[in-house]
Amino acid sequence: MRPENNDIDHAVALLQAGELVAFPTETVYGLGADAANPAAVARIFVAKQRPADHPLIVHLPADGYLDRWARDIPAVAWELAEAFWPGPLTLILKRAAAVPKVVTGGQDSVGLRVPAHPLALNLLRAYARAGGGLAGMCGIAAPSANRFGRISPTAAAHVRAELGNAVPLILDGGRCPVGIESTILDLTPAESLPPRLLRLGRVTPEQIATVIGIMPQIVTRPPDAAMPRVPGSLAAHYAPTTPLHLLPSARIVEVIDLLQSTGRRCAVLCHSRLPATPAAHAWRCLPANPRAYASALYAALRELDQADAELIIVEEIPATPAWAAVADRLQRA
């Protein structure tokens, strides 16, 4: 096992050599490779056991690199980049001719963002200063650093537990403060149509609307042929290996007692004051605040997934817009 460290020069050298480097973003830890190097990007798919038709998000040092990766960039893209980058918003744009199709899952679109985590920005900017990899594109493809479909990592230890020595270097930036993946906004439709919000995240539809003057269309169904495939759009995703069920607060103690009577072990994730009972095999209580809950969610699910329970019971969260991104992750889990 290799010790985690924050040697940016070492990370840059590994990326230039076509190797993988895991690093923190403000959302989750990413598994990075030079996005312009198809052989390096292929290593991501192998390490994650990820289907080849699932596109990757490319992380950039700044919005000034946008036109290296995208073409026909609409004015609203620059407005959104100015408003939210660095930050947890991914823009889907038409890909530039030089973008490898392995990055886009064979599509004519590409997902781009500038992350807000200082360690991620240090890495991206150092990579750009060192020449920016193949063709000087200065982009790092980085899906979440976990096995495909599983719980995204929000700490360096989660990455090592998931991927082991498949990752030569993990840059340790502590816990990811946002804790869930970026909002994904599709800007490939005609400019007369509203942009499509393909994945909910910290950046809300209302915040987007204040910048572009129109509310995006929130896509709640699985993607079809008329829209780009994006990360995290499968009906089942972000999932622990232990089965998970959402229950109303009023039913949790009743169900725990029923499970106990049949000899089954359960773990509980809640956000309100439920009666503590020894019948539950493990308990975690998260803050009743959507941002704080999101920040701690994946770490809590990982902990309960390792608690030797047969079922994870999650208390239902409020059905309000502020909780929508968290609700999306729990429904897929």
Side-chain angles (χ1 to χ4, degrees), residues 45 66 75 145 149 210 223 267 279:
F45 286 87
L66 196 56
T210 62

Side-chain angles (χ1 to χ4, degrees), residues 48-279:
K48 283 180 60 73
Q49 300 174 6
R50 183 184 182 96
D53 64 347
H54 282 252
L56 307 178
I57 293 171
V58 177
H59 295 69
L60 306 178
D63 59 5
Y65 293 83
L66 196 56
D67 54 9
R68 301 189 188 192
W69 291 89
R71 72 180 196 277
D72 303 331
I73 302 172
V76 293
W78 297 107
E79 294 168 4
L80 290 164
E82 182 177 358
F84 296 112
W85 286 359
L89 176 66
T90 295
L91 301 179
I92 303 296
L93 297 164
K94 295 177 181 178
R95 71 177 184 91
V99 178
K101 288 194 173 182
V102 66
V103 171
T104 68
Q107 302 180 111
D108 195 40
S109 60
V110 62
L112 304 166
R113 86 176 184 101
V114 178
H117 197 289
L119 191 51
L121 284 174
N122 287 344
L123 173 62
L124 285 157
R125 290 167 181 172
Y127 201 52
R129 288 193 300 270
L134 289 187
M137 297 278 282
C138 302
I140 298 177
S144 57
N146 55 281
R147 301 288 181 189
F148 181 72
R150 298 303 183 189
I151 304 168
S152 298
T154 54
H158 300 162
V159 181
R160 187 62 73 194
E162 277 276 332
L163 300 178
N165 290 335
V167 188
L169 177 65
I170 301 172
L171 298 177
D172 188 348
R175 294 279 179 152
C176 300
V178 172
I180 58 173
E181 298 78 5
S182 62
T183 303
I184 299 181
L185 186 69
D186 177 20
L187 297 178
T188 61
E191 291 204 36
S192 60
L193 299 176
R196 297 178 292 203
L197 201 155
L198 303 184
R199 184 173 72 186
L200 295 163
R202 170 66 68 86
V203 177
T204 67
E206 293 77 13
Q207 289 175 311
I208 291 168
T210 62
V211 174
I212 65 174
I214 186 172
M215 183 68 73
Q217 174 194 354
I218 301 175
V219 177
T220 57
R221 65 186 185 279
D224 56 34
M227 68 183 69
R229 296 185 305 277
V230 297
S233 59
L234 297 179
H237 214 77
Y238 316 118
T241 56
T242 308
L244 182 150
H245 289 279
L246 293 164
L247 284 177
S249 307
R251 290 206 59 214
I252 289 179
V253 173
E254 167 199 345
V255 171
I256 290 173
D257 289 341
L258 176 63
L259 291 169
Q260 183 191 34
S261 70
T262 60
R264 297 182 67 190
R265 299 181 305 279
C266 68
V268 177
L269 179 64
C270 63
H271 62 273
S272 60
R273 293 182 177 274
L274 299 175
T277 166

Side-chain angles (χ1 to χ4, degrees), residues 303-330:
E303 182 179 325
L304 295 178
D305 199 25
Q306 297 165 6
D308 193 31
E310 297 170 73
L311 180 69
I312 298 173
I313 295 173
V314 178
E315 179 187 9
E316 287 183 349
I317 58 176
T320 64
W323 287 89
V326 172
D328 172 76
R329 302 314 190 272
L330 288 175

